[in-house]
Amino acid sequence: MSPPNCNEILSPGRFSEVIELSQRELQRVKVIENAVEGRITVEEASRLLKLSTRQVKRLKQRYRAGTVDWVRHGNRGRQMPWKLAEAVRTRIVELAKQKYVGFNGSHLTDKLVEVEGIEIGRETVRRVLRAAGVKSPQKRRAAKYRSRRERKPRLGMMVLTDASREDWLQGRGPMLTLIGYQDDATSRVLAAQFQLEHEDTIGYLRQLRVLVERYGVPLSLYRDQHGTFQRNDKNWTLEEELAGRQSPAQFGRVLEELGIESIPALSPQAKGRIERMWKTFQDRLRSELRLAQAKTVKEANAVLEEFIEDYNRRFTVAAKEAPSDFRPLSKKAEP
């Protein structure tokens, strides 16, 4: 139904009242008038106004012939008690542009609440920034549907590992490689550290030791097919041909000694859980490093330590089953 003409609703003497109404309110006046006069049913009015029949009945009760005051919302012209003060809005925009520049909306909201003492919700922050013309640093992409692998039910049943070499310090220092281990059942970060070197065996072994000493020995390790974890050459010795298998890489021998099943991922998508963790790190951790003005690997690791505590508090989920599958390290199997 198209919005009615003003002259169809009110006499010329009340035109000043009409021009204060929105097109939506003008339509509501005409439709409710027709419902009151019996020209259309409540159901028809409900469909035209996209309201429930209960709301239409309430409007019929409020209807007063010859006036439009009944259609105006009771809060029109009033300042809502929950409306943000202009000074608070200005402060949020300043923080988003200066101190917390580059922080995504959720991360910024966390900082406003926990650091700046501004009690506010994520959606309100988004509206304030959008009104001020501050764009989100995250690029919106069309969601792709992928069937996610079901989590393991117990802590320590499967651990994921991967590395990410990035310009973590954004030009303030050297390129760094972040090596990390994550529990599959809970998404908890078990061990992680920056290093100057590229992804290598020593880095993985160093963090594996931290993991084992802190939690115990996991049942399995889910990893990619990097040369650190497996031999990718085609040169088999006579002994290997007779045995029917290649000798494992150094890291693989450590896993065998510890009794950890090594499971190779067949594609990057198969490591989706830890890849999503890296995406969060590349967004939030990079912002935290910038906020702290970290310039060295030592400073980066100091920020990382605090970040992991916060990450685990926010993003860890409960395992489906309470028992843990981490095993104590025997003295014979110490790495």
Side-chain angles (χ1 to χ4, degrees), residues 115-173:
V115 179
E116 307 299 333
I118 301 174
E119 292 296 330
I120 195 169
R122 165 68 182 91
E123 186 58 27
T124 303
V125 171
R126 188 188 69 83
R127 289 198 298 267
V128 169
L129 296 183
R130 186 173 62 179
V134 180
K135 297 182 179 180
S136 172
Q138 293 181 323
K139 294 182 179 180
R140 297 291 180 182
R141 296 181 179 178
K144 294 182 180 180
Y145 174 77
R146 290 191 178 95
S147 179
R148 294 186 178 181
R149 175 180 54 79
E150 187 175 356
R151 294 177 182 271
K152 297 297 182 183
R154 296 187 183 187
L155 180 71
M157 183 174 283
M158 176 186 283
V159 169
L160 316 173
T161 190
D162 198 11
S164 176
R165 186 165 180 81
E166 303 279 344
D167 182 16
W168 290 98
L169 302 179
Q170 297 179 301
R172 297 184 306 276

Side-chain angles (χ1 to χ4, degrees), residues 133-288:
V134 180
K135 297 182 179 180
S136 172
Q138 293 181 323
K139 294 182 179 180
R140 297 291 180 182
R141 296 181 179 178
K144 294 182 180 180
Y145 174 77
R146 290 191 178 95
S147 179
R148 294 186 178 181
R149 175 180 54 79
E150 187 175 356
R151 294 177 182 271
K152 297 297 182 183
R154 296 187 183 187
L155 180 71
M157 183 174 283
M158 176 186 283
V159 169
L160 316 173
T161 190
D162 198 11
S164 176
R165 186 165 180 81
E166 303 279 344
D167 182 16
W168 290 98
L169 302 179
Q170 297 179 301
R172 297 184 306 276
M175 291 282 288
L176 299 176
T177 301
L178 179 56
I179 293 178
Y181 288 83
Q182 180 189 38
D183 179 64
D184 184 70
T186 63
S187 290
R188 183 178 186 83
V189 180
L190 305 171
Q193 191 174 48
F194 285 113
Q195 65 179 38
L196 292 170
E197 300 80 8
H198 285 260
E199 184 177 0
D200 61 8
T201 300
I202 294 177
Y204 277 106
L205 286 176
R206 186 185 296 122
Q207 291 313 297
L208 178 62
R209 182 174 190 128
V210 172
L211 183 159
V212 170
E213 291 178 345
R214 186 177 297 169
Y215 296 95
V217 181
L219 290 182
S220 63
L221 181 72
Y222 198 61
R223 43 78 176 182
D224 59 24
Q225 300 185 51
H226 190 270
T228 295
F229 306 111
Q230 65 185 42
R231 285 179 53 189
N232 294 315
D233 62 273
K234 298 181 180 180
N235 300 318
W236 289 54
T237 65
L238 179 60
E239 291 76 9
E240 289 173 338
E241 290 180 356
L242 292 173
R245 64 187 290 266
Q246 278 186 314
S247 298
Q250 183 180 359
F251 190 87
R253 289 198 296 270
V254 172
L255 295 183
E256 289 183 359
E257 183 69 22
L258 292 172
I260 302 174
E261 181 186 5
S262 181
I263 305 174
L266 301 180
S267 68
Q269 291 76 21
K271 300 190 288 114
R273 191 154 294 123
I274 198 167
E275 292 291 345
R276 288 189 294 275
M277 183 193 81
W278 285 143
K279 185 176 180 180
T280 302
F281 271 47
Q282 289 159 3
D283 179 12
R284 290 194 172 218
L285 176 56
R286 188 175 290 171
S287 295
E288 294 287 354

